[in-house]
Amino acid sequence: SKNFISMTQEKSNDFNDLFLISQSKFLVSHTCGIANINALFRKKQLLINVIPFQLIEFVENPPGSLFIPKKLFDIKRKRFLKLHEIADLKYNIHEKNFFKKRELKVIENSANEIKSAIKEMFFLTNKKNISYKNKLQEKFWNSMTDKKGVKLIREKSNINICNSFLKINKNLIN
């Protein structure tokens, strides 16, 4: 499509990356350096495969951004962790094999989850009427123990988890 450009590997360089971000409606990325550069331009972004998943991490993102976290499968308990359990993990990004030591298997976002999230972000940036005041959103945000983080991220920064992700993963909401 002429509306989408993948700037990976040999196409990527500092000038092209900055120029394209400055001209884009939104950026699709994970939590990496380029996502922080995007914040300088105050462009909305869709963060995919977010981990560690801690609400305070989202304060750097421009208002109106969306995210979808990775999922964690607890090998001992033979079940996926609920999203609030993932958010409550005491992450140490410097600890080698953090997830493996806790017998957690990290599950990347599926192609369907990413595609649905991109469509949602596209509609959102084109001023389509998308509400983030619905039962699934309320259930998700109410399950978070970091109430101060919820208020800061959701109410003040207007950053939300994708509706499409919650619909696909209802079982992960407590």
Side-chain angles (χ1 to χ4, degrees):
S1 169
K2 65 179 181 162
N3 296 320
F4 299 92
I5 301 169
S6 176
M7 294 302 294
T8 57
Q9 297 166 351
E10 68 277 349
K11 290 182 184 178
S12 179
N13 65 51
D14 293 345
F15 177 80
N16 285 344
D17 293 349
L18 291 173
F19 178 75
L20 284 171
I21 289 171
S22 74
Q23 300 302 306
S24 67
K25 286 189 175 191
F26 65 91
L27 175 72
V28 178
S29 179
H30 58 89
T31 51
C32 65
I34 199 75
N36 294 331
I37 297 296
N38 181 65
L40 294 173
F41 290 106
R42 305 307 290 163
K43 300 283 186 170
K44 292 177 184 174
Q45 56 191 6
L46 168 61
L47 293 167
I48 60 173
N49 282 311
V50 173
I51 206 159
F53 171 50
Q54 294 178 312
L55 294 180
I56 199 68
E57 299 284 328
F58 294 109
V59 296
E60 301 168 357
N61 297 300
S65 294
L66 298 175
F67 67 92
I68 56 175
K70 288 185 182 184
K71 293 175 277 220
L72 295 177
F73 186 80
D74 186 320
I75 296 167
K76 269 195 272 187
R77 294 189 276 177
K78 297 180 175 133
R79 70 169 181 86
F80 282 96
L81 293 184
K82 302 289 184 181
L83 293 172
H84 74 87
E85 292 174 308
I86 297 171
D88 287 342
L89 279 174
K90 302 297 180 215
Y91 291 100
N92 178 352
I93 61 170
H94 303 292
E95 181 183 330
K96 191 173 183 174
N97 300 316
F98 177 86
F99 298 105
K100 188 176 182 178
K101 286 178 182 177
R102 287 156 182 80
E103 296 189 59
L104 298 172
K105 183 177 178 186
V106 178
I107 309 297
E108 303 279 324
N109 295 135
S110 70
N112 185 44
E113 289 169 335
I114 294 169
K115 180 181 176 183
S116 296
I118 290 171
K119 283 182 181 179
E120 186 174 330
M121 191 68 183
F122 182 78
F123 287 129
L124 182 65
T125 57
N126 285 301
K127 308 287 189 248
K128 302 294 183 199
N129 190 17
I130 297 178
S131 173
Y132 291 93
K133 302 284 184 190
N134 58 56
K135 287 180 183 178
L136 285 176
Q137 288 283 339
E138 296 305 319
K139 190 174 178 182
F140 166 74
W141 290 107
N142 288 336
S143 74
M144 297 290 115
T145 55
D146 181 4
K147 300 305 180 193
K148 185 178 177 183
V150 169
K151 186 173 183 75
L152 181 65
I153 300 308
R154 188 165 192 220
E155 296 173 20
K156 297 202 186 265
S157 297
N158 191 30
I159 295 170
N160 284 288
I161 189 168
C162 287
N163 284 327
S164 57
F165 180 83
L166 292 179
K167 285 178 188 171
I168 295 169
N169 295 288
K170 290 177 188 173
N171 61 319
L172 299 180
I173 309 170
N174 195 15

